[in-house]
């Protein structure tokens, strides 16, 4: 992280669907950040993210939920066509992209299936839960794979990531639209506490100055939420009586 950052952005889901999507986004980001595997450390970061992603995908009908949300976003865009001064070409471009995304997602195999069936991914996944279980004597398959030419490993990784592209593209499109639907507004907490209504919202986004070294503890659901600000240093840190921050309800 850069030392010149003056604010920190926090995001909090207001329903289980959004909670799952943010976790998937987080894991996809880790996969791409560690896609150039050149050591056992980078390999374990990649495979651990892949393993966690497969576990999350097993817990619900992610593909079905994404399809429903893509349709919902298209319907919301239709409402903008009656707003005076709206950029119709932009609306049409976004709708066309959403339709293309739906087509890709519908035609894609079961999400994550290619990774589940890959022998190397499966072998590593089985050993990740064992402390130190990915040593060369435990996983000779991984050990020899790490000694293959970099170009060959890159091709393998790219092939794995390509199987996740329909998921990645759909999720990115949806989260971008949801995030853009909320405008940041200046708010003030009193004695470290703030609460408000969140009717129909999916996501809270907070920008907080780094100066006070505070973080938000958020509890909420689709109709109401509460935020309590706590100091990073629980013993010496202080919460100001009035704290200004920015909040977007998306």
């Amino acid at each position: 992280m850069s030392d010149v950052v003056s604010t920190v952005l926090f995001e909090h889901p207001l329903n289980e669907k959004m909670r799952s999507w943010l976790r998937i986004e987080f894991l996809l980001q880790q996969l791409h950040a560690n896609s150039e595997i050149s050591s056992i450390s980078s390999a374990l970061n990649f495979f651990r993210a892949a393993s966690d992603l497969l576990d999350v995908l097993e817990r619900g009908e992610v593909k079905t939920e994404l399809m429903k949300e893509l349709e919902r976003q298209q319907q919301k865009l239709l409402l903008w066509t009656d707003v005076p001064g709206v950029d119709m070409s932009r609306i049409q471009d976004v709708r066309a992209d959403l339709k293309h995304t739906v087509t890709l997602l519908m035609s894609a195999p079961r999400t994550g299936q290619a990774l589940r069936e890959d022998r190397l991914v499966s072998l590593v996944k089985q050993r990740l839960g064992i402390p130190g279980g990915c040593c060369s004597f435990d996983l000779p398959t991984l050990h020899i794979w790490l000694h293959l030419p970099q170009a060959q490993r890159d091709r393998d990784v790219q092939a794995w990531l390509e199987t996740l592209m329909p998921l990645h593209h759909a999720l990115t499109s949806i989260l971008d639209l949801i995030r853009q639907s909320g405008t940041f507004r200046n708010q003030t907490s009193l004695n470290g506490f703030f609460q408000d209504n969140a009717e129909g919202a999916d996501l809270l986004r907070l920008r907080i100055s780094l100066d006070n070294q505070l973080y938000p503890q958020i509890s909420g659901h689709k109709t109401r939420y509460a935020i309590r600000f706590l100091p990073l240093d629980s013993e010496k840190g202080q919460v100001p009586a009035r704290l200004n921050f920015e909040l977007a309800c998306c």
Side-chain angles (χ1 to χ4, degrees), residues 13 16-32 49-66 105 111-112 116 164-172 175 179:
E16 283 304 313
K17 174 185 67 178
M18 180 58 66
R19 188 182 304 275
S20 175
W21 289 350
L22 291 179
R23 286 173 174 162
I24 293 172
E25 180 191 46
F26 175 68
L27 292 168
L28 287 171
Q29 289 172 346
Q30 291 183 56
L31 283 175
H32 284 271
S51 176
D52 288 349
L53 177 61
L54 291 177
D55 288 343
V56 173
L57 293 176
E58 285 285 354
R59 295 172 190 166
E61 295 295 328
V62 175
K63 184 175 180 179
T64 301
E65 291 294 333
L66 289 174
L105 199 57
T111 308
R116 292 186 190 93
L164 298 171
M165 280 309 298
L167 168 67
H168 196 178
H169 185 66
L171 186 63
T172 300
L175 292 180
R179 285 169 172 138

Side-chain angles (χ1 to χ4, degrees), residues 86-99:
V86 71
D87 186 347
M88 284 302 302
S89 62
R90 175 60 179 158
I91 296 294
Q92 291 171 356
D93 288 344
V94 175
R95 290 197 69 216
D97 181 66
L98 291 179
K99 288 181 179 179

Side-chain angles (χ1 to χ4, degrees), residues 211-215 230-240:
D211 293 342
N212 294 307
Q213 296 189 27
L214 302 174
Y215 65 91
L230 302 172
L232 181 60
D233 186 338
S234 59
E235 295 184 1
K236 299 180 180 179
Q238 295 183 345
V239 179

Side-chain angles (χ1 to χ4, degrees), residues 22-239:
L22 291 179
R23 286 173 174 162
I24 293 172
E25 180 191 46
F26 175 68
L27 292 168
L28 287 171
Q29 289 172 346
Q30 291 183 56
L31 283 175
H32 284 271
N34 292 283
S35 60
E36 187 174 332
I37 297 176
S38 57
S39 66
I40 185 62
S41 297
S42 56
L44 290 180
N45 286 335
F46 179 89
F47 287 112
R48 186 167 286 108
S51 176
D52 288 349
L53 177 61
L54 291 177
D55 288 343
V56 173
L57 293 176
E58 285 285 354
R59 295 172 190 166
E61 295 295 328
V62 175
K63 184 175 180 179
T64 301
E65 291 294 333
L66 289 174
M67 296 282 290
K68 291 179 181 177
E69 185 64 26
L70 288 168
E71 179 61 32
R72 187 172 79 95
Q73 291 296 333
Q74 290 186 67
Q75 294 302 317
K76 287 178 66 176
L77 287 170
L78 278 177
L79 299 177
W80 283 95
T81 58
D82 297 327
V83 178
V86 71
D87 186 347
M88 284 302 302
S89 62
R90 175 60 179 158
I91 296 294
Q92 291 171 356
D93 288 344
V94 175
R95 290 197 69 216
D97 181 66
L98 291 179
K99 288 181 179 179
H100 178 63
T101 302
V102 168
T103 301
L104 289 177
L105 199 57
M106 286 183 64
S107 60
R110 183 187 177 199
T111 308
Q113 189 62 29
L115 283 178
R116 292 186 190 93
E117 295 176 350
D118 186 272
R119 181 170 178 268
L120 180 58
V121 175
S122 179
L123 286 171
V124 178
K125 189 177 189 305
Q126 293 172 19
R127 306 296 302 183
L128 283 172
I130 302 172
C134 293
C135 289
S136 61
F137 60 85
D138 281 314
L139 269 178
T141 309
L142 176 62
H143 187 64
I144 189 63
W145 185 78
L146 287 171
H147 284 78
L148 296 178
Q150 183 70 48
Q152 186 171 341
R153 291 199 304 277
D154 290 344
R155 286 194 297 270
D156 290 341
V157 171
Q158 188 58 37
W160 293 329
L161 293 178
E162 284 178 2
T163 68
L164 298 171
M165 280 309 298
L167 168 67
H168 196 178
H169 185 66
L171 186 63
T172 300
S173 298
I174 288 170
L175 292 180
D176 282 349
L177 288 171
I178 290 175
R179 285 169 172 138
Q180 292 170 21
S181 69
T183 302
F184 279 101
R185 303 182 186 281
N186 293 323
Q187 303 288 359
T188 302
S189 73
L190 301 178
N191 297 315
F193 185 76
F194 181 87
Q195 64 179 352
D196 203 354
N197 296 319
E199 188 67 40
D202 294 304
L203 178 69
L204 290 180
R205 310 183 77 208
L206 292 80
R207 282 202 195 112
I208 307 172
S209 171
L210 192 58
D211 293 342
N212 294 307
Q213 296 189 27
L214 302 174
Y215 65 91
Q217 187 177 76
I218 304 172
S219 59
H221 47 77
K222 61 182 179 180
T223 59
R224 191 162 183 80
Y225 62 90
I227 306 171
R228 184 168 298 281
F229 293 95
L230 302 172
L232 181 60
D233 186 338
S234 59
E235 295 184 1
K236 299 180 180 179
Q238 295 183 345
V239 179

